């Protein structure tokens, strides 16, 4: 159970503290730049001319990529400092706003062609409420593309008394940071991830468990990622009306 202040998003204080340092290293940060991002981009549909919600945009890495790919973008993040850094990075080419994904969004229904959420959902305890809200703002057949911690990897690496229970856990980040960072997040089972999506009106299209890229060979983590469950799982799901067929691989 989340014992932190209910009015403060989980990990908010941490991201406020490390925002500038995080933004300065993110383009070359091992697991982000050479593991998570290549996998996400491999699942990315054609975004030219589409309206994308970058949910949990951080310092604007994906926001910038989407804009350079001729998408229209709205970025959201709960950290005011991250929003400032994202605005600086993208030079006011789109709107970036402060918003908490665990609460209702001040956005109209049926607005976006896609929601992109890289490494964000692990900070949300109640996925069903969040996903139903994202479903609401998506157009019919809209896609939600996200990355999150791999349930097997997290349960093995962090330890758990009950794999099937959604638990608040903490891990330590050290790579690239001057000081070790204690980062809280929620660990949950694979069945809970899939059930949350289905219960919220999405159909699972693809799941990708990525292999590390060659750029990670300098990292001692590379060999482990070749042998054990991957650090992150990637899902591509799409909002559809009941009884309507999916068309894989593109936003229509």
């Amino acid at each position: 159970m989340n014992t932190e202040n209910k009015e403060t998003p989980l990990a908010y204080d941490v991201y406020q503290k490390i925002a500038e340092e995080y933004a300065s290293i993110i383009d070359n940060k091992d697991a982000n730049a050479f593991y998570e991002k290549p996998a996400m981009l491999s699942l990315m549909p054609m975004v030219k001319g589409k309206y994308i919600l970058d949910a949990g945009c951080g310092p604007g890495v994906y926001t910038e990529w989407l804009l350079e790919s001729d998408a229209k973008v709205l970025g959201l993040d709960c950290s005011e400092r991250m929003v400032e850094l994202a605005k600086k990075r993208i030079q006011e080419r789109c709107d970036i706003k402060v918003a908490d994904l665990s609460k209702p969004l001040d956005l109209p229904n049926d607005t976006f062609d896609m929601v992109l959420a890289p490494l964000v959902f692990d900070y949300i305890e109640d996925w069903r409420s969040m996903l139903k809200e994202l479903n609401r703002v998506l157009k019919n057949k809209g896609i939600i593309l996200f990355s999150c911690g791999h349930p097997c990897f997290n349960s093995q690496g962090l330890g758990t008394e009950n794999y099937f229970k959604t638990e608040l856990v903490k891990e330590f980040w050290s790579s690239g940071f001057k000081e070790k960072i204690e980062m809280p997040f929620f660990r949950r089972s694979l069945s809970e991830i899939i059930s949350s999506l289905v219960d919220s009106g999405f159909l699972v299209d693809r799941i990708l468990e990525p292999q590390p890229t060659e750029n990670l060979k300098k990292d001692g983590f590379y060999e482990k990622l070749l042998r054990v469950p991957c650090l992150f799982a990637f899902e591509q799901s799409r909002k559809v009306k009941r009884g309507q067929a999916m068309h894989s691989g593109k936003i229509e």
Side-chain angles (χ1 to χ4, degrees):
M1 179 177 293
N2 182 3
T3 58
E4 299 197 9
N5 187 340
K6 289 291 186 178
E7 297 303 315
T8 302
L10 187 70
Y12 169 84
D13 291 335
V14 180
Y15 276 111
Q16 284 284 91
K17 180 180 178 180
I18 68 171
E20 285 77 12
E21 190 175 10
Y22 185 86
S24 71
I25 65 174
I26 189 62
D27 289 307
N28 294 294
K29 190 175 183 300
D30 46 17
N32 295 82
F34 307 126
Y35 187 46
E36 191 269 347
K37 189 176 181 181
M40 287 288 274
L41 293 183
S42 75
L43 292 177
M44 192 76 69
M46 182 71 69
V47 298
K48 183 177 181 180
K50 304 301 181 181
Y51 193 15
I52 314 297
L53 178 63
D54 189 357
C57 64
V61 175
Y62 280 101
T63 310
E64 183 179 55
W65 185 91
L66 290 167
L67 290 169
E68 290 176 350
S69 301
D70 297 321
K72 180 182 177 183
V73 186
L74 171 63
L76 302 180
D77 202 277
C78 71
S79 165
E80 292 88 355
R81 291 184 180 176
M82 286 293 190
V83 167
E84 291 172 4
L85 290 165
K87 288 181 177 180
K88 182 178 179 181
R89 179 169 184 140
I90 59 101
Q91 297 295 305
E92 306 292 342
R93 286 182 285 164
C94 72
D95 287 337
I96 308 287
K97 298 180 179 181
V98 177
D100 181 355
L101 293 179
S102 68
K103 295 180 171 60
L105 300 174
D106 185 18
L107 296 170
N109 296 345
D110 307 314
T111 300
F112 300 95
D113 297 291
M114 183 172 80
V115 171
L116 177 67
L119 301 176
V120 176
F121 290 174
D122 286 332
Y123 303 115
I124 307 295
E125 183 173 17
D126 181 2
W127 274 31
R128 284 170 176 80
S129 294
M130 172 196 65
L131 287 168
K132 287 176 182 177
E133 185 67 356
L134 295 178
N135 186 301
R136 178 185 68 78
V137 302
L138 274 171
K139 297 176 183 177
N140 187 45
K141 296 187 182 179
I143 287 174
I144 179 170
L145 176 59
F146 71 94
S147 56
C148 66
H150 195 294
C152 294
F153 187 95
N154 285 341
S155 63
Q156 290 181 3
L158 299 171
T160 177
E161 294 183 359
N162 185 349
Y163 167 82
F164 296 101
K165 181 181 178 181
T166 298
E167 299 173 321
L168 178 61
V169 297
K170 294 182 179 180
E171 65 178 353
F172 291 93
W173 293 1
S174 58
S175 178
F177 293 99
K178 294 177 182 177
E179 299 179 1
K180 187 176 290 187
I181 308 299
E182 185 179 65
M183 184 62 72
F185 67 98
F186 290 102
R187 184 209 63 75
R188 71 197 73 227
S189 68
L190 179 60
S191 60
E192 176 61 19
I193 291 173
I194 301 300
S195 295
S196 296
L197 286 163
V198 173
D199 292 347
S200 304
F202 292 100
L203 296 179
V204 177
D205 192 355
R206 286 185 290 174
I207 301 175
L208 172 63
E209 296 173 306
Q211 291 287 295
T213 62
E214 292 294 311
N215 288 325
L216 270 180
K217 277 194 170 181
K218 61 183 179 181
D219 193 309
F221 203 35
Y222 177 84
E223 294 298 327
K224 184 174 184 179
L225 289 174
L226 290 174
R227 301 190 310 271
V228 301
C230 299
L231 180 58
F232 305 113
F234 303 88
E235 314 257 353
Q236 185 171 352
S237 308
R238 61 182 66 231
K239 171 182 175 179
V240 294
K241 291 182 178 178
R242 194 173 293 274
Q244 193 167 34
M246 291 189 301
H247 300 277
S248 180
K250 62 181 180 179
I251 302 176
E252 296 187 345

